[in-house]
Amino acid sequence: MDHADRNWGCRISDEHTFRGLRTLVMENELLRVTILLDQGADIYEFLYKPLDIDFMWRAPNRVQPPVFRAAGAPPNGFFQDYYHGGWQEIFPSGGVGCTHKGAVLHQHGEVALSAWQCRITEDTPAGIAATVSTQTYRTPFTIEKTLRLESGKAVLFLDEKITNTAAEPMDYMWGHHPAFGAPFLDASCRIDIPATRVAVHPDPVSDNQQLAPGAEFGAFPIVKDKNGAAFDLSRVPAPHARTMEMCYLLGLEEGWYALTNTGRGAGFGMRWDKDIFPVVWLWEVFGGGFGYPWYGRTYNLALEPFTSWPGGMQNTLDKGTAKTLAAGESLETSLLAVAYEGCERVRHIGADGVVKQL
């Protein structure tokens, strides 16, 4: 039977379109994952079927169709004009733009707005896989990843590879940008992560932020706000908090995190190689981002495994956290994302996707 017609076990199809964009749909008994091939291979949907929970945030901008044209060229690039929420691959730079080696690098690099090629590499009821790839156009890199689902597991497995195709060393930043929103995200949500340090982004991100720009703390989750009061970074406030924060979770003992809705006993977790992604960017907009692009209307949180910090290629070069690939060199890594239920707090996520409760 043709793979597009199977309606049990694992199934996969790259024959879909969504608002005019080529779209890959992967699913098994527990998960449905929708990937926008014509926009960054973004994970638009990560749906846990038993509880009908899609963890991904929907930003005010919808997925834009191919006929969309922005009103003008923003100085920091087009990322925000096309940003719909969901989960982006960020490469070869992240955060604010700069000019490096003569190339103008805009917000969050190149691949999040690129079209990716796709080939289905496994298609059985027991397991499915697709390999997606693209190459950058202002910098000399290729990137590919294989996404896999297995029957009976609420786990998305990813195997990734980046390659420097230049005849000279190239600096880079690389990260994953999954953003979470309502109805999954609410004031009962809690963050678990084996981080031991916190650094706040050096520049102000909002008049409503509670943490002082540039502050650093030798513990997680309890830090100090601008007034010296205790501030718990593991707790998610309600939308009326009117706060916005950007900070970096450092000193990881292992590479995993869990975001759990304790009211529903369900959550989303990631596991990765902390030697590749040694920091997690924590971005929170709890109704407190005013002016462009949020205008006080969003309630969202992102937990982003990254190679480097703080945001912005020039900042990482100045701080010495930018990574470098030699001429012709490649780097490979694996990570996973898992949906789970039946626990309120998490103490560990294993390389097999098994979630252990606290």
Side-chain angles (χ1 to χ4, degrees), residues 31 46 87 154-158 268-271 335-339:
L31 289 181
F46 194 100
W87 173 355
V155 184
L156 175 66
F157 297 94
L158 301 102
F268 176 99
M270 290 190 71
R271 168 87 189 198
L335 59 157
L336 61 82
V338 57

Side-chain angles (χ1 to χ4, degrees), residues 4-21:
D5 295 326
R6 187 169 61 246
N7 58 1
W8 75 93
C10 296
R11 51 265 202 201
I12 185 170
S13 176
D14 60 356
E15 299 180 35
H16 299 272
T17 59
F18 180 65
R19 298 197 180 127
L21 305 178

Side-chain angles (χ1 to χ4, degrees), residues 41-60:
D42 289 2
I43 295 177
Y44 175 76
E45 176 187 47
F46 194 100
L47 178 74
Y48 182 58
K49 293 181 179 182
L51 297 180
D52 193 30
I53 294 176
D54 181 7
F55 300 97
M56 299 291 94
W57 178 47
R58 297 287 188 267

Side-chain angles (χ1 to χ4, degrees), residues 6 8-12 26-33 46-50 122-130 146-159 334-339 350-354:
R6 187 169 61 246
W8 75 93
C10 296
R11 51 265 202 201
I12 185 170
M26 306 175 66
E27 58 185 311
N28 62 12
E29 304 90 341
L30 300 173
L31 289 181
R32 184 172 68 232
V33 182
F46 194 100
L47 178 74
Y48 182 58
K49 293 181 179 182
E122 182 181 357
D123 182 12
T124 71
I128 53 174
T146 297
L147 305 97
R148 293 183 291 112
L149 292 179
E150 298 175 7
S151 179
K153 295 182 179 180
V155 184
L156 175 66
F157 297 94
L158 301 102
D159 301 311
S334 297
L335 59 157
L336 61 82
V338 57
D352 53 2
V354 172

Side-chain angles (χ1 to χ4, degrees), residues 260-333:
T260 308
N261 183 302
T262 62
R264 302 185 70 173
F268 176 99
M270 290 190 71
R271 168 87 189 198
W272 64 91
D273 183 345
K274 74 178 180 69
D275 292 332
I276 303 295
F277 303 115
V279 56
V280 171
W281 295 15
L282 173 58
W283 173 53
E284 304 174 328
V285 189
F286 301 135
F290 292 93
Y292 175 82
W294 312 123
Y295 301 104
R297 58 188 170 165
T298 65
Y299 181 65
N300 56 280
L301 175 155
L303 286 158
E304 312 167 37
F306 251 91
T307 58
S308 319
W309 71 283
M313 175 64 86
Q314 191 58 55
N315 289 334
T316 66
L317 291 167
D318 293 343
K319 197 170 185 65
T321 65
K323 304 300 181 182
T324 304
L325 281 179
E329 184 181 7
S330 295
L331 176 66
E332 298 184 45
T333 193

